[in-house]
Amino acid sequence: MDAAAESGTDDGGVGAAGRADGGSGAVVLPAARIGDGAHHVIAVHGWFADRQAYAPVFDVLDRATFSYAVPDLRGYGEARDIAGAFTTDEAARDVLALADALGWERFSLVGHSMGGAVIQRVVLAAPERVRRMVGIAPVPASGVPLQGEQWELFAQAAQRPANRRAIIDFSTGNRRPDAWLDLMVERSMSCTDPGAFRAWLDSWALEDFHERVRGCRVPVRLVVGDGDPVLSAEVMRTTWLRWYTAAELVELPAAGHYPLDETPLETVRAVEDFLRADDLSAEDLPADGGA
């Protein structure tokens, strides 16, 4: 079922899955649409789920201020059968093709986990088009150092539901109900192509392009859970906060790697307050310009 139909979104989505965008090799990704505000936002999901990763917050988004597009990346959801290289660089071209199809010249970006790597590729490709970025438990531009047994756990997760469950359990601090873990695994297995899922791992975990983002001036907020043992606040301090000149960090109590599920209202507040700050006009500022 379409995310729009399930979550009370404003329409049934945009784009025909796999429709090519000229000669760039990009495709216009299928996407759910939420809201009709003037501030355009593209929200990119992570490794384990399609756009339904954002379903827990669809009904509490500020639809008057923002217009959200939430796409399925290649190999996921409605884009499950779209062939490709399944890399963050390819995904960035697809995101830009989606923005073009929507007629959005400028927009903000939100990315969860692997989606954090994708949105950084977007800002590298078109920095003048990006207003603000929010990374939710986001993968740094340097990748994630998985080695030995940990690498095998992730690499074999494409075919093994037990591996996916172990990863989700560990990344949320081993404190979530069994029924929720089972639901997350079922959702993940049902919406992903195993071959694409495995290929995506090589891109988001192994690629290192942090020297290219160093000095980027696009405002960034990093939203992480205090119970995330992998992409923690400390990891953000040694990666994103060192490389982006206008980056800030918000740590959410009682959340792990899945704040959209674990603390949805707090996550929406952290995301939208930051995005909304870009809409302040000169007359909204104090006489001294906020100095």
Side-chain angles (χ1 to χ4, degrees):
M1 182 180 292
D2 187 275
E6 287 189 337
S7 306
T9 49
D10 291 342
D11 59 52
V14 65
R19 181 161 60 86
D21 181 55
S24 68
V27 299
V28 178
L29 298 167
R33 289 288 311 280
I34 304 100
D36 55 7
H39 190 145
H40 303 141
V41 184
I42 299 176
V44 184
H45 63 76
W47 190 43
F48 270 87
D50 60 3
R51 69 193 188 209
Q52 284 294 309
Y54 289 91
V57 302
F58 278 162
D59 290 336
V60 293
L61 296 173
D62 181 351
R63 301 173 181 222
T65 301
F66 303 104
S67 294
Y68 287 90
V70 190
D72 287 327
L73 298 177
R74 300 189 197 208
Y76 291 85
E78 289 188 24
R80 180 171 177 164
D81 295 328
I82 300 178
F86 309 112
T87 65
T88 57
D89 187 55
E90 176 184 73
R93 294 193 297 273
D94 290 346
V95 167
L96 288 170
L98 173 62
D100 290 343
L102 292 167
W104 293 357
E105 180 57 32
R106 297 198 74 224
F107 47 86
S108 291
L109 294 164
V110 178
H112 173 246
S113 194
M114 177 179 79
V118 173
I119 65 175
Q120 291 180 89
R121 293 287 196 179
V122 176
V123 81
L124 284 174
E128 73 287 350
R129 298 185 66 177
V130 180
R131 297 174 63 168
R132 292 191 162 218
M133 295 198 301
V134 178
I136 303 173
V139 169
S142 54
V144 179
L146 301 171
Q147 298 178 351
E149 292 182 359
Q150 192 177 44
W151 173 260
E152 290 304 316
L153 178 69
F154 278 70
Q156 296 175 21
Q159 302 292 343
R160 296 184 179 180
N163 287 36
R164 300 196 193 199
R165 193 181 195 280
I167 293 168
I168 296 169
D169 193 19
F170 173 73
S171 65
T172 53
N174 305 112
R175 59 189 183 186
R176 297 307 176 201
D178 288 341
W180 180 79
L181 295 172
D182 293 340
L183 179 64
M184 292 287 281
V185 172
E186 180 182 356
R187 183 174 73 180
S188 179
M189 295 297 296
S190 67
C191 74
T192 57
D193 173 81
F197 186 83
R198 175 60 185 83
W200 275 109
L201 175 64
D202 288 342
S203 182
W204 67 259
L206 301 181
E207 293 175 355
D208 183 348
F209 57 97
H210 80 274
E211 289 296 341
R212 294 184 59 199
V213 304
R214 189 185 295 275
C216 179
R217 298 181 179 180
V218 173
V220 179
R221 172 171 279 187
L222 310 166
V223 181
V224 301
D226 67 356
D228 188 340
V230 180
L231 294 172
S232 62
E234 183 57 30
V235 170
M236 299 302 113
R237 293 186 185 101
T238 59
T239 57
W240 287 78
L241 290 175
R242 289 185 178 179
W243 305 330
Y244 288 85
T245 63
E248 60 185 57
L249 176 65
V250 173
E251 191 172 16
L252 297 178
H257 189 65
Y258 296 90
L260 290 160
D261 287 272
E262 299 171 273
T263 54
L265 298 182
E266 292 83 356
T267 302
V268 169
R269 185 65 185 267
V271 170
E272 293 193 333
D273 282 359
F274 179 74
L275 297 181
R276 197 176 288 112
D278 196 56
D279 298 314
L280 290 174
S281 61
E283 54 267 27
D284 294 322
L285 296 173
D288 63 357

